[in-house]
Amino acid sequence: VTDVAPNSPADKMWIRKGDYIFSVDGVELKRGKENFYKLLSGKVNKDIKISISSDADRKNAREVAVKLMDPGAYMELLYSNEIEEAEKLVKEKGEGKIAYIRLREMMPDDLNYFQNTIGSDDVKSKEALVLDLRANPGGRIHQQVLDILTRTRFAETRPRGGKPSDQ
């Protein structure tokens, strides 16, 4: 096993980087001779049984059933994990003073997300913002995002007994 995505079905079954897989659904794997991916074909969203061990001599081998994720769900999981790691990094390095927003695309739904997030008390209380646009395929909301980021406060409302809010 060369890698295990956090929060994946494999992760939840305690499969770890460095483990050895000996069989898939009863088919023994022979080093370099078995087409591993062929054994997984047609099994998306189904449980597959694997024999796995943390050592090469099968000393601690165990059988586990793991649901094979479809590629779209797997990519979504990787994306979520990437955001979680980036948020954690910004929080640690920024000592809690920096907000983090990731825009997946520059489309209307992303603009709605941006507007809702940038206006939250959590983001407004920060001293700085990291706007992460990595791997963003584009779209047409860049002007609206820039407009929001460059606005200046022109008024503040203070309802009796309530919290002040910017206009």
Side-chain angles (χ1 to χ4, degrees), residues 16-132:
R16 297 293 176 249
K17 183 177 179 176
D19 284 351
Y20 296 86
I21 299 175
F22 299 105
S23 69
V24 175
D25 283 338
V27 177
E28 289 291 317
L29 301 176
K30 297 171 185 81
R31 185 177 287 251
K33 298 194 172 149
E34 196 69 52
N35 183 340
F36 182 75
Y37 297 102
K38 187 176 181 182
L39 295 173
L40 303 178
S41 181
K43 297 184 179 177
V44 170
N45 293 322
K46 295 179 183 171
D47 283 341
I48 57 169
K49 290 185 178 132
I50 60 174
S51 174
I52 192 162
S53 179
S54 59
D55 48 63
D57 62 5
R58 297 184 180 207
K59 194 175 186 180
N60 298 309
R62 60 192 171 99
E63 290 273 327
V64 295
V66 179
K67 184 171 278 196
L68 191 61
M69 295 179 78
D70 72 75
Y74 183 68
M75 294 306 290
E76 189 64 35
L77 175 68
L78 292 179
Y79 182 79
S80 296
N81 287 342
E82 188 178 309
I83 290 173
E84 191 175 299
E85 283 300 311
E87 286 175 337
K88 190 164 80 176
L89 180 66
V90 167
K91 188 174 188 176
E92 286 173 11
K93 298 287 184 184
E95 300 173 349
K97 299 175 186 175
I98 301 173
Y100 173 87
I101 299 175
R102 172 87 175 253
L103 291 182
R104 173 177 245 155
E105 296 180 323
M106 302 297 268
M107 302 301 279
D109 286 344
D110 302 282
L111 179 60
N112 289 336
Y113 168 75
F114 180 73
Q115 288 172 316
N116 291 334
T117 306
I118 197 97
S120 71
D121 289 338
D122 183 50
V123 171
K124 289 194 308 187
S125 68
K126 305 294 188 217
E127 295 176 17
L129 168 69
V130 171
L131 180 57
D132 190 347

Side-chain angles (χ1 to χ4, degrees), residues 140-157:
R140 300 269 183 234
I141 65 166
H142 55 282
Q143 187 61 49
Q144 292 95 322
V145 170
L146 286 171
D147 178 50
I148 292 166
L149 291 172
T150 58
R151 285 182 191 160
T152 57
R153 185 174 111 188
F154 66 88
E156 177 183 276
T157 56

